[in-house]
C-alpha cells in the first residue's frame, strides 16, 4: 500500500516539471538546417541548375532510389534530363548530399513528405528543383570544371592558365 | 624461352623469361600501378608510375627503385611493390600528373571506369597542394565518332603508339613540347583510321570517348553488360553490349586472345546501335494491316500449309537458320544469297576444314603473307589490323637479333630499322594496307586468280613471271606463311587460286578466307543452295510461300532475281527486326529480336562457333522462337540448347556449336552470372510497393546470365559468359591483362568459341562465274565505315561513312558521257551515289559500293548512266 502511494506521489510530482510534448501540427518544430528530410535540387548563384547528372548521388544511395538520366544543353552543360527520387524508399541517410560534387542535391528540414498514394511519393525533377541555392551558398561547379561551356572558354575557369599555344617550342 | 623464378612481394612465382617485370606480374594477377604500359603496345617508360624496388638476388639487400615496365625479369630477382620508397615515388608521380588535371570527373564520360581515377585512388592522392594555375588545351572536332577533351591528358603516349605504330594511322600525332604536349590531329576533322574508336579504350583517361555513348550516357556501373559478338563482319569480334533502360548505350571490346585481342574496328564499335526511331518493324502486319501477334502467327501457319520454301540468312544465327530448315525440310531450305556466293562460301568452309583454320592471333605470328584480291580493311577490318602486326615481325626479329626485345617498344622500332615482313597485296584498287606491303600489285578482277595460280605454279617449281616467282619464294622461305582471301571481289575463282597456293605450300600454310557476314560460315555449313534454286521451286509450283528470316534479299542478290522470286511466290512471310526493302514486299511481317536482343550462335571465318546473348529483357522473341511456334513439330524447343542439340543430330559437324558457351542450366556456386554491376543505381526509383519487377518477368531462358546484380561477377564466370573483368580496384579496359596468361595471350581459362569445321565436306571447286557479255562489269567496292544493312543506318557510323560510289575509269566515263560528281543510275534506276572517276579502276569495270548501290555479287553487266 505504501509502495503504491509512493508511486502515485512520484508520478504526480511530474505534473510540475517542464513539458517536452509539442503540439504538432499546430506547433511547428524548429529544426536545425542540417536536419535530414525532404530532398531538393538547388541552383547555383546564377540561377542555373547545379546538378550535372554525374550519378554519384544515385550510386551512393544505399537503397538505390535515385534515377538520373544525363542530358546536354545547347551551351555544353550536362544536366539531368530526368531526375527521380522514390521517397517511399528513401531512408534520409544523406549519402546523396555527401556524394554530390556540385552541392546540387541537399536535404532540408522539411519532413512533411507523406502522401496519400505511393505514386505521389515518386518525385521527379519538377518536384525537386527549387529556385534558390539551398543551404550551400556561392558554389558554382562550372567555374571550377575544366570542361568549357558557352561563356566560359578554356582557360577561363578558376585558376586556369590560357590555353597552350601548340606552335610554342620554348623549353 | 624458359621458365624462371622471381619473388614478388615475398611470394615465389614462376614466369616466362624475356619479358618485363610489369608484364610478368600482371599476368600473375599482381597489380603494379601503370599508365603507359599496355598489353598490346609494350613498354616505353613514359609515365614513371610503375616504380617498384628490385633486388637482383638474395645478396642484394638494398635493391633499387626501378621502372617495372622497363626492367627485364631475371632468375632470383626479388620485387617489392609495396616498398615505402617506391610507394612514395608513385604517389609523387600521381600528384604531378594531377597538377593540371581538370576538376571534370563529374562531367567526364570516363568517370567510374577510368584508369587515372583508379591509379589516383590507389596511391591515396586526394588534395591538390600546388595552387598555381592549371595548364589548359583547346579541343578538336574529331568527327562524329569520338570526343576530344585534351585537358584530361596525362601524356602517356598510348594513343599515338596505338594509332600510328599499331594501327598505321597518319593523322593523329603528338605536338608541342615540355608539359604542353598535345595529342590530336593537325587540324580539326574526323580521324581517318577505321580503328580510331579503340582510342576510347586505349586512353587511360577521358580524352577520347565514344560520342554516341556520351549523348545517351550512363555510367559504366549503371549499365548491364552482356557478352556478345559483333554483327558487322565475319571476324566475329567479342564485345560487351552495355545497356540501360532497354537501350544499347555502347559496345566495347571483350578480350578474346584468338579473335580480337584488345581491339575492334569502328564499324563494329559504332555500327548496329543508336538506330533512328522508326527503323524498327513496329508490329506484326498481314497484308498491310496491323494485327495481333496471334493473328500473324495464324496467317503465317496458313501460308506455310500451302507449301513453302524457307530462305535463311548469313545475318541470322544457326538457331534461326536451323528453325527454317526444320520447318520446311532440308531440300526446301535455301540461303538468301545468289548461288554463286552460297557455293563459294561452302567451298571456303571445305578448304578451311581441310587445311585448318588458324586464328587472327596466329596471323600476327606469321612471317610472310599474300592477300589475294581482298580489300581486307573494307571487308574484315580487324583482320587487316592483325596483318599490320604481321608486317612488324621482320623488324622485331631484327631487333631481337641485336638483343633488343620486342616489348621495349620504341627501342625495338629503332633497332628494327623499319624492316617489313614480306607481305604481298594483289588487289584491284590501291589498298589501305599498301604502306605495310612489300609488294602492292594492282590487277583487274579477272587477272587476280590467274596471278594466284601463277604463284602456285612457281611454288610447285613451274615457270611463272618474275613477280609471282618472287612472292612464291618469299612464301616458301617463310616458316609460317599466311595466304588470305575472301568474297570481297565476288570472284569465286580467286578462292580456288588460294586453294592451289595452300596445296602447293603444304602443311605450313595458314589459310584465311573471309566470307562476307557474321554467320556466312554457319549458313554455308548448313549446306543450303542459293536463291536461284528457291525461285525454281516456287516457279515449278513445288511451293507457294516464301518464308524469309532476317535477310534483305535485295542487299545480297540481283534485284532482277529477287523481283522474280517475289512474283513467283503467292505469299511472302518475313521475320525481321528492322524494316527493309524485303519487309516492304512481304504479305506477312513479324518483328523479331535484333542481333543484340536474343541469344544465338554464329560461326566466324575460322569456323569458330560463338554465342551471343540477349542484352536486355522485353525485346521481341528471337526469330527461331517465332518460327518454332509455326509448327507443332518444333514445339519442344524451349531453349537454344534444345535447338542446337537437334541441329547436332541433323548436321553432325555442327554438334560442337552447342558447347560454344555453357548450357542454359549452368550455374556457378553463386548461381547465375550477373549482368549488372553491384553499384547499379536506381533500381527502386520507380517501384511502388507491389509494382516491383519480378525476376520471372525478366527471365532469360537462353543463358545462364541474370539481368540483375545477383550471382557471379567477372572472372568467376566461364570466359564465354563473362559480363566484365571485375579486377578489384580496376574499372577500365586496363583490367583485361590481369586475366590473360601473357601479353596478347589467352584468357587463363581459355578463349571462348569452338570449331565446327571438322568433318565438313565442301564442294571440290568454287562455282564458275557466268560468262558476261561485253559491257560494264560490276565489282563491289567496300568501305570500312559502311556497316551491313542494319549497321549502315546507325546514326553515328552513318555520319562517318563516306558517300556511296559508282567508280569508273576515265575512258569509260568519257565513252558514257559521264562526269565526276554526276548522280548515277544503275540499269536505269537512280542510285544514291555519285560518279567517281579514277585511273585506278580497270577499264570496262564499274565499282559499285556493296549493298549501297548494288548487291555485293552481281554476275552480269550493268548499264551506268546519269540521273535527270
Ligand atoms: S537520403 Fe539516402 S536513401 Fe535518401 S536518396 Fe539520399 S542517399 Fe538515397
Ligand atoms: S551527385 Fe549531384 S550533380 Fe551528381 S547527379 Fe546527383 S545531384 Fe546531380
Ligand atoms: S590522350 Fe590519352 S592516351 Fe593519349 S597521351 Fe593523353 S592520356 Fe595518354
Ligand atoms: S566489324 Fe568485324 S572487325 Fe570490326 S569489330 Fe566487328 S567483327 Fe570485328
Ligand atoms: S608503366 Fe612503366 S613507366 Fe609508365
Amino acid at each position: 500500500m505504501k509502495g503504491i502511494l509512493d508511486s502515485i506521489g512520484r508520478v504526480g510530482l511530474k505534473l510540475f516539471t517542464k513539458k517536452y510534448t509539442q503540439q504538432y501540427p499546430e506547433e511547428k518544430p524548429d529544426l536545425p538546417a542540417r536536419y535530414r528530410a525532404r530532398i531538393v535540387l538547388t541552383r547555383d548563384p546564377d540561377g542555373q541548375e547545379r546538378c550535372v547528372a554525374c550519378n554519384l548521388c544515385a550510386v551512393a544511395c544505399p537503397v538505390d532510389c535515385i534515377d538520373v538520366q544525363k542530358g546536354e544543353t545547347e551551351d555544353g552543360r550536362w544536366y539531368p534530363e530526368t531526375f527521380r527520387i522514390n521517397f517511399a524508399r528513401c531512408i534520409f541517410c544523406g549519402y546523396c548530399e555527401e556524394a554530390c560534387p556540385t552541392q546540387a542535391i541537399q536535404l532540408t528540414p522539411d519532413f512533411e513528405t507523406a502522401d496519400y498514394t505511393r505514386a505521389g511519393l515518386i518525385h521527379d525533377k519538377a518536384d525537386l528543383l527549387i529556385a534558390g541555392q539551398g543551404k550551400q551558398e556561392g558554389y558554382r561547379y562550372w567555374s571550377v570544371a575544366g570542361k568549357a561551356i558557352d561563356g566560359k572558354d578554356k582557360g577561363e575557369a578558376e585558376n586556369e592558365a590560357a590555353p597552350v599555344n601548340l606552335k610554342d617550342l620554348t623549353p | 624461352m624458359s621458365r624462371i623464378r622471381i619473388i614478388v612481394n615475398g611470394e615465389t612465382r614462376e614466369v616466362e623469361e624475356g619479358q618485363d617485370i610489369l608484364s610478368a606480374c600482371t599476368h600473375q594477377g599482381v597489380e603494379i600501378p601503370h599508365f603507359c604500359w599496355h598489353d598490346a603496345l609494350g613498354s616505353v617508360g613514359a609515365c614513371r608510375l610503375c616504380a617498384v624496388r628490385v633486388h637482383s638476388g638474395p645478396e642484394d639487400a638494398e635493391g633499387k627503385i626501378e621502372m617495372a615496365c622497363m626492367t627485364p625479369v631475371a632468375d632470383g630477382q626479388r620485387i617489392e611493390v609495396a616498398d615505402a620508397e617506391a610507394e612514395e615515388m608513385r604517389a609523387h608521380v600521381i600528384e604531378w600528373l594531377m597538377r593540371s588535371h581538370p576538376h571534370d570527373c563529374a562531367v567526364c564520360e570516363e568517370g567510374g571506369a577510368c584508369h587515372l581515377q583508379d591509379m589516383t585512388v590507389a596511391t591515396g592522392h586526394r588534395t591538390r597542394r600546388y595552387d598555381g594555375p592549371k595548364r589548359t588545351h583547346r579541343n578538336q572536332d574529331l568527327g562524329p565518332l569520338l570526343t576530344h577533351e585534351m585537358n584530361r591528358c596525362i601524356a602517356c603516349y598510348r594513343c599515338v603508339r596505338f594509332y600510328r605504330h599499331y594501327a598505321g594511322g597518319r593523322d593523329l600525332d603528338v605536338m608541342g613540347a615540355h608539359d604542353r604536349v598535345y595529342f590530336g590531329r593537325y587540324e580539326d576533322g574526323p580521324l581517318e583510321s577505321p580503328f580510331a574508336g579503340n582510342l576510347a579504350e586505349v586512353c587511360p583517361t577521358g580524352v577520347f570517348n565514344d560520342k554516341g555513348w556520351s549523348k545517351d550516357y550512363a555510367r559504366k556501373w549503371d549499365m548491364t553488360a552482356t557478352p556478345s559478338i559483333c554483327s558487322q563482319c565475319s571476324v566475329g569480334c567479342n564485345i560487351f553490349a552495355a545497356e540501360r533502360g532497354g537501350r544499347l548505350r555502347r559496345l566495347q571490346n571483350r578480350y578474346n586472345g584468338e579473335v580480337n585481342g584488345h581491339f575492334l574496328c569502328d564499324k563494329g564499335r559504332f555500327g548496329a546501335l543508336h538506330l533512328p526511331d522508326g527503323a524498327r518493324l513496329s508490329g506484326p502486319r498481314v497484308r498491310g494491316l496491323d494485327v495481333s501477334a496471334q493473328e500473324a502467327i495464324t496467317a503465317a501457319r496458313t501460308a506455310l500449309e500451302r507449301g513453302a520454301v524457307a530462305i535463311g540468312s548469313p545475318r541470322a544465327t544457326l538457331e534461326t537458320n536451323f528453325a527454317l530448315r526444320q520447318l520446311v525440310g532440308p531440300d526446301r531450305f535455301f540461303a538468301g544469297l545468289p548461288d554463286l556466293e552460297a557455293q563459294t562460301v561452302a567451298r571456303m568452309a571445305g578448304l578451311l576444314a581441310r587445311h585448318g583454320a588458324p586464328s587472327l592471333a596466329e596471323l600476327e605470328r606469321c612471317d610472310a603473307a599474300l592477300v589475294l584480291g581482298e580489300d581486307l580493311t573494307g571487308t574484315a577490318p580487324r583482320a587487316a589490323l592483325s596483318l599490320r602486326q604481321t608486317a612488324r615481325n621482320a623488324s622485331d626479329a631484327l631487333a631481337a637479333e641485336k638483343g633488343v626485345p620486342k616489348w621495349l617498344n620504341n627501342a625495338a622500332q629503332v633497332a628494327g630499322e623499319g624492316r617489313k615482313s614480306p607481305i604481298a597485296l594483289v588487289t584491284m584498287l590501291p589498298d589501305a594496307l599498301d604502306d605495310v606491303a612489300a609488294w602492292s600489285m594492282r590487277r583487274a578482277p579477272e587477272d587476280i586468280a590467274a596471278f594466284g595460280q601463277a604463284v602456285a605454279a612457281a611454288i610447285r617449281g613451274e615457270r611463272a613471271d618474275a613477280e609471282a616467282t618472287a612472292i612464291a619464294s618469299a612464301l616458301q622461305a617463310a616458316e609460317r606463311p599466311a595466304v588470305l582471301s575472301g568474297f570481297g571481289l565476288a570472284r569465286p575463282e580467286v578462292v580456288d587460286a588460294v586453294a592451289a597456293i595452300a596445296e602447293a605450300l603444304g602443311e605450313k600454310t595458314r589459310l584465311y578466307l573471309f566470307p562476307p557476314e557474321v554467320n556466312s560460315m554457319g549458313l554455308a555449313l548448313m549446306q543450303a543452295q542459293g536463291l536461284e534454286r528457291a525461285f525454281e521451286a516456287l516457279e515449278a509450283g513445288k511451293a507457294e510461300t516464301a518464308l524469309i528470316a532476317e535477310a534483305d534479299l535485295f542487299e545480297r542478290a540481283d534485284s532482277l532475281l529477287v523481283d522474280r522470286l517475289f512474283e513467283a511466290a503467292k505469299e511472302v512471310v518475313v521475320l525481321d527486326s528492322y524494316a527493309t526493302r524485303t519487309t516492304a514486299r512481304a504479305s506477312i511481317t513479324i518483328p523479331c529480336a535484333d542481333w543484340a536482343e536474343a541469344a544465338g550462335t554464329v560461326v566466324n571465318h575460322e569456323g569458330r562457333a560463338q554465342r551471343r546473348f540477349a542484352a536486355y529483357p522485353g525485346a521481341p522473341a528471337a526469330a527461331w522462337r517465332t518460327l518454332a511456334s509455326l509448327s507443332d513439330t518444333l514445339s519442344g524447343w524451349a531453349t537454344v540448347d534444345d535447338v542446337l542439340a537437334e541441329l547436332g543430330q541433323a548436321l553432325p559437324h555442327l554438334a560442337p556449336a552447342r558447347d560454344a558457351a555453357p548450357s542454359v542450366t549452368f550455374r556457378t556456386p553463386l548461381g547465375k552470372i550477373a549482368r549488372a554491376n553491384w553499384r547499379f543505381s536506381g533500381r527502386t526509383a520507380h517501384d511502388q510497393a507491389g509494382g516491383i519487377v519480378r525476376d520471372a518477368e525478366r527471365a532469360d531462358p537462353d543463358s545462364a546470365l541474370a539481368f540483375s546484380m545477383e550471382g557471379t561477377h567477372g572472372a568467376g564466370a566461364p570466359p564465354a559468359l563473362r559480363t566484365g573483368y571485375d579486377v578489384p580496384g580496376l574499372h577500365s579496359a586496363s583490367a583485361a591483362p590481369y586475366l590473360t596468361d601473357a601479353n596478347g595471350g589467352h584468357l587463363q581459362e581459355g578463349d571462348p568459341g569452338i570449331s565446327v569445321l571438322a568433318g565438313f565436306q565442301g564442294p571440290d571447286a568454287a562455282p564458275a562465274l557466268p560468262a558476261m557479255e561485253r559491257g560494264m562489269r560490276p565489282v563491289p567496292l567496300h568501305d570500312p565505315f559502311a556497316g551491313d544493312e542494319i549497321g549502315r543506318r546507325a546514326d553515328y557510323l552513318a555520319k562517318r561513312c563516306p558517300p556511296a560510289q559508282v567508280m569508273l575509269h576515265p575512258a569509260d566515263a568519257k565513252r558514257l558521257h559521264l562526269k565526276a560528281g554526276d548522280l548515277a543510275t544503275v540499269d536505269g534506276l537512280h542510285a544514291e551515289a555519285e560518279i567517281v572517276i579514277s585511273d585506278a579502276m580497270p577499264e570496262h569495270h564499274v565499282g559499285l559500293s556493296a549493298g549501297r548501290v548494288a548487291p555485293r555479287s552481281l554476275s552480269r553487266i550493268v548499264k551506268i548512266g546519269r540521273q535527270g
Side-chain angles (χ1 to χ4, degrees):
Chain A
M1 190 64 194
K2 184 161 169 273
I4 292 170
L5 288 176
D6 183 47
S7 300
I8 290 171
R10 282 167 189 273
V11 171
L13 272 179
K14 290 286 174 198
L15 282 171
F16 306 102
T17 58
K18 183 168 179 262
K19 292 177 188 62
Y20 286 95
T21 308
Q22 259 176 282
Q23 291 307 313
Y24 178 82
E26 289 76 23
E27 222 177 282
K28 301 284 182 196
D30 184 20
L31 296 172
R34 59 166 200 200
Y35 190 88
R36 300 196 309 260
R38 181 189 296 282
I39 301 176
V40 294
L41 288 175
T42 62
R43 294 175 185 272
D44 72 11
D46 304 332
Q48 295 279 4
E49 240 177 89
R50 264 181 176 151
C51 173
V52 296
C54 71
N55 256 294
L56 290 183
C57 52
V59 72
C61 178
V63 298
D64 280 349
C65 70
I66 307 182
D67 188 19
V68 187
Q69 172 59 47
K70 175 241 169 192
E72 213 168 309
T73 60
E74 286 286 302
D75 64 359
R77 291 164 186 263
W78 284 27
Y79 79 102
E81 210 168 72
T82 58
F83 198 112
R84 169 173 280 201
I85 300 179
N86 186 352
F87 283 107
R89 292 279 178 176
C90 176
I91 55 170
F92 301 99
C93 63
Y95 284 9
C96 49
E97 176 170 353
E98 232 166 276
C100 180
T102 68
Q103 307 193 340
I105 195 166
Q106 295 177 16
L107 281 79
T108 67
D110 173 15
F111 57 87
E112 293 171 320
T113 49
D115 203 291
Y116 292 104
T117 64
R118 294 186 193 277
L121 288 169
I122 295 182
H123 288 210
D124 283 306
K125 194 169 119 181
D127 312 309
L128 297 166
L129 190 62
I130 62 164
Q133 299 183 46
K135 57 193 169 184
Q136 306 285 356
E137 298 215 343
Y139 188 65
R140 196 188 287 105
Y141 173 75
W142 286 105
S143 313
V144 191
K147 199 173 162 73
I149 54 172
D150 284 358
K152 191 214 74 177
D153 202 357
K154 293 287 175 199
E156 291 177 6
E158 278 171 28
N159 211 7
E160 271 189 357
V164 160
N165 171 8
L166 291 183
K167 307 258 160 77
D168 177 6
L169 289 177
T170 52
Chain B
M1 290 287 155
S2 55
R3 309 285 286 178
I4 53 172
R5 278 162 197 275
I6 57 174
I7 303 163
V8 187
N9 297 340
E11 238 181 274
T12 306
R13 297 188 179 252
E14 207 177 278
V15 299
E16 204 72 39
E17 198 186 17
Q19 54 180 334
D20 57 286
I21 293 177
L22 181 48
S23 300
C25 290
T26 299
H27 304 299
Q28 293 276 331
V30 178
E31 198 200 318
I32 300 178
H34 63 273
F35 284 123
C36 63
W37 177 88
H38 185 283
D39 189 78
L41 307 176
S43 309
V44 287
C47 73
R48 318 313 280 174
L49 184 63
C50 61
V52 292
R53 184 175 293 276
V54 181
H55 306 263
S56 54
E59 58 296 331
D60 178 4
E62 195 188 347
K64 274 190 273 186
I65 300 290
E66 305 226 48
M67 292 302 118
C69 73
M70 300 299 280
T71 313
V73 286
D75 203 23
Q77 210 171 36
R78 197 149 58 77
I79 297 148
E80 298 297 339
V81 181
D83 174 78
E85 208 181 324
E87 268 184 352
E88 196 194 332
M89 164 148 182
R90 296 199 298 262
H92 278 304
V93 170
I94 289 285
E95 189 166 7
W96 295 325
L97 288 176
M98 297 303 284
R99 194 203 73 176
S100 283
H101 203 75
H103 192 66
D104 263 4
C105 291
V107 291
C108 175
E109 295 85 349
E110 195 87 355
C114 172
H115 195 59
L116 178 60
Q117 275 182 341
D118 288 342
M119 294 297 103
T120 307
V121 169
T123 55
H125 174 68
R126 44 190 309 170
T127 24
R128 185 171 179 262
R129 287 188 288 166
Y130 170 74
D131 57 6
K134 293 182 181 180
R135 172 227 65 208
T136 63
H137 284 296
R138 290 202 183 283
N139 302 329
Q140 289 179 326
D141 179 353
L142 298 180
L145 302 182
L146 287 175
T147 61
H148 192 225
E149 191 60 48
M150 251 311 286
N151 278 354
R152 299 172 186 158
C153 175
I154 55 162
C156 70
Y157 287 70
R158 273 189 187 186
C159 52
V160 285
R161 284 154 61 211
F162 168 76
Y163 196 87
R164 299 183 70 86
H165 305 150
Y166 196 91
R170 311 272 307 160
D171 58 324
L172 179 100
D173 212 340
V174 50
M175 286 161 269
H178 204 250
D179 72 335
R180 303 178 303 259
V181 286
Y182 188 88
F183 299 81
R185 294 190 76 229
Y186 306 121
E187 56 186 13
D188 282 17
L191 287 162
E192 283 160 14
S193 167
F195 307 105
N198 291 304
L199 293 176
E201 290 185 56
V202 167
C203 175
T205 76
V207 175
F208 302 102
N209 267 306
D210 179 330
K211 251 189 191 166
W213 175 50
S214 173
K215 279 279 167 293
D216 196 12
Y217 184 72
R219 295 259 174 236
K220 186 184 178 195
W221 67 65
D222 275 343
M223 299 186 288
T224 63
T226 301
S228 193
I229 305 293
C230 172
S231 64
Q232 296 297 303
C233 86
S234 67
V235 174
C237 294
N238 291 201
I239 52 175
F240 288 120
E243 166 272 352
R244 182 173 176 86
R247 288 201 306 283
L248 271 193
R249 305 295 183 106
R250 73 164 167 184
L251 306 179
Q252 270 205 311
N253 188 72
R254 175 165 64 97
Y255 190 91
N256 182 322
E258 293 288 9
V259 182
N260 47 303
H262 293 279
F263 306 115
L264 302 175
C265 78
D266 287 3
K267 173 163 71 170
R269 185 181 299 270
F270 302 104
L273 79 169
H274 305 303
L275 271 85
D277 296 341
R280 287 305 284 257
L281 275 181
S282 49
R285 285 169 85 83
V286 174
R287 279 171 275 282
L289 298 175
D290 289 332
V291 296
S292 72
Q294 196 44 53
E295 284 165 330
I297 299 278
T298 314
R301 271 182 172 244
T302 316
L304 289 191
E305 276 156 18
R306 300 168 68 179
V309 292
I311 297 173
S313 165
R315 161 154 73 84
T317 57
L318 285 180
E319 289 82 349
T320 294
N321 282 311
F322 185 60
L324 288 168
R325 188 178 186 269
Q326 291 304 87
L327 268 179
V328 296
D331 48 343
R332 286 177 177 216
F333 170 62
F334 302 93
L337 309 163
D339 224 11
L340 187 86
E341 180 179 328
Q343 298 310 320
T344 309
V345 181
R347 168 76 170 145
M348 292 181 181
L351 285 170
L352 293 170
R354 186 154 89 234
H355 292 276
S359 66
L360 291 190
E362 178 64 16
L363 177 59
E364 296 186 6
R365 290 188 285 269
C366 287
D367 49 357
L370 165 64
V371 182
L372 199 65
E374 193 73 3
D375 167 10
L376 214 53
T377 310
T379 59
R382 182 63 186 82
L385 188 60
S386 287
L387 195 64
R388 287 187 173 277
Q389 313 321 310
T390 315
R392 305 197 327 180
N393 285 343
S395 159
D396 289 338
L398 177 61
E401 267 173 43
K402 297 180 182 172
V404 183
K406 178 181 164 155
W407 55 263
L408 218 47
N409 194 264
N410 278 359
Q413 275 178 46
V414 176
E417 299 174 21
R419 190 181 277 188
K420 286 178 192 164
S421 306
I423 292 182
L425 297 180
V426 187
T427 55
M428 179 181 77
L429 293 177
D431 198 90
L433 287 165
D434 279 346
D435 60 315
V436 296
W439 294 275
S440 301
M441 302 173 47
R442 302 292 98 91
R443 291 285 187 277
E446 292 73 22
D447 303 336
I448 286 178
F451 184 83
Q453 294 289 2
V455 174
I459 296 170
R460 291 191 299 262
E462 296 159 27
R463 275 172 56 98
D465 67 41
E467 279 164 319
T469 313
I471 293 171
S473 47
L475 293 175
Q476 273 174 305
E479 269 173 47
R480 290 179 298 277
V483 189
L484 305 93
S485 190
F487 194 69
L489 269 184
R491 292 292 188 282
E493 68 277 13
V494 176
V495 175
D496 278 346
V498 165
I501 298 173
E503 201 68 52
L505 273 176
E507 287 252 305
K508 65 178 180 179
T509 325
R510 271 57 170 176
L511 181 62
Y512 294 87
L513 294 165
F514 297 93
E517 290 184 59
V518 61
N519 198 26
S520 286
M521 209 44 108
L523 183 58
L525 292 172
M526 292 176 70
Q527 295 157 324
Q529 291 186 302
L531 277 178
E532 288 88 340
R533 305 290 93 78
F535 167 69
E536 283 164 15
L538 288 164
E539 175 93 312
K542 287 187 200 144
E544 293 194 354
T545 299
L547 171 64
I548 305 168
E550 297 188 76
D552 179 4
L553 302 184
F554 294 100
E555 172 87 12
R556 300 170 179 86
D558 193 342
S559 57
L560 298 179
L561 170 64
V562 182
D563 280 334
R564 280 195 300 162
L565 184 134
F566 283 149
E567 272 156 34
K570 301 221 166 52
E571 196 89 76
V572 177
V573 184
V574 181
L575 278 81
D576 212 334
S577 43
Y578 295 89
T580 67
R581 287 164 286 182
T582 294
T583 59
R585 299 286 290 269
S587 48
I588 302 174
T589 45
I590 306 180
C592 64
D594 78 4
W595 68 278
E597 292 170 341
T601 313
V602 289
V603 183
N604 82 349
H605 71 96
E606 36 158 348
R608 179 185 296 266
Q610 306 189 95
R611 181 101 20 97
R612 60 192 191 200
F613 300 96
Y616 40 85
W624 69 260
R625 255 209 182 86
T626 306
L627 290 169
S629 69
L630 296 180
S631 157
D632 298 331
T633 55
L634 304 184
S635 56
W637 288 359
T639 68
V640 284
D641 286 351
D642 301 338
V643 186
L644 292 173
E646 213 168 310
L647 171 64
Q649 280 162 13
L651 296 161
H653 55 276
L654 284 170
R658 202 180 161 186
D659 300 320
S663 89
V664 302
T665 53
F666 172 85
R667 293 294 178 270
T668 68
L670 292 174
K672 292 190 176 188
I673 292 111
R675 283 180 175 90
N677 191 279
W678 291 120
R679 299 182 181 85
F680 196 90
S681 78
R683 288 176 309 152
T684 67
H686 313 277
D687 70 52
Q688 302 163 37
I692 306 170
V693 190
R694 300 273 160 224
D695 265 355
E697 292 162 27
R698 317 201 314 160
D700 177 3
D702 292 322
S703 78
L705 303 166
F707 284 111
S708 66
M709 59 172 76
E710 283 82 29
T712 294
H713 292 252
L721 294 179
R722 281 189 194 154
T723 55
Y725 302 128
D726 264 62
V727 177
L730 295 172
H731 304 90
S732 73
S734 296
Y738 292 90
L739 306 180
T740 62
D741 61 4
N743 287 357
H746 303 289
L747 286 169
Q748 277 153 15
E749 289 83 5
D751 294 309
I754 192 162
S755 175
V756 290
L757 286 174
F760 177 73
Q761 286 282 339
D764 291 332
L769 192 68
M772 288 190 223
E773 313 136 51
R774 276 173 58 86
M776 300 302 289
R777 296 176 172 209
V779 197
L781 299 180
H782 302 277
D783 193 292
F785 294 104
D788 73 351
E789 59 202 271
I790 295 172
R792 280 204 303 276
R793 291 192 253 172
D795 278 350
Y796 295 88
L797 189 67
K799 279 189 211 133
R800 177 65 186 84
C801 185
Q805 297 183 342
V806 171
M807 191 185 276
L808 295 170
H809 186 270
D812 289 323
K814 199 162 166 219
R815 201 158 34 78
L816 296 168
H817 308 293
L818 296 170
K819 291 194 310 296
D822 283 351
L823 286 176
T825 62
V826 178
D827 289 335
L829 297 174
H830 285 207
E832 275 176 43
E834 287 186 357
I835 303 276
V836 175
I837 298 179
S838 163
D839 284 333
M841 194 69 211
E843 241 181 295
H844 306 298
H845 290 78
V846 54
L848 302 172
S849 289
R852 295 192 280 170
V853 178
R856 58 184 170 241
S857 98
L858 203 53
S859 330
R860 59 172 174 86
I861 58 160
V862 289
K863 289 204 178 60
I864 304 299
R866 161 173 19 128
Q867 296 181 15

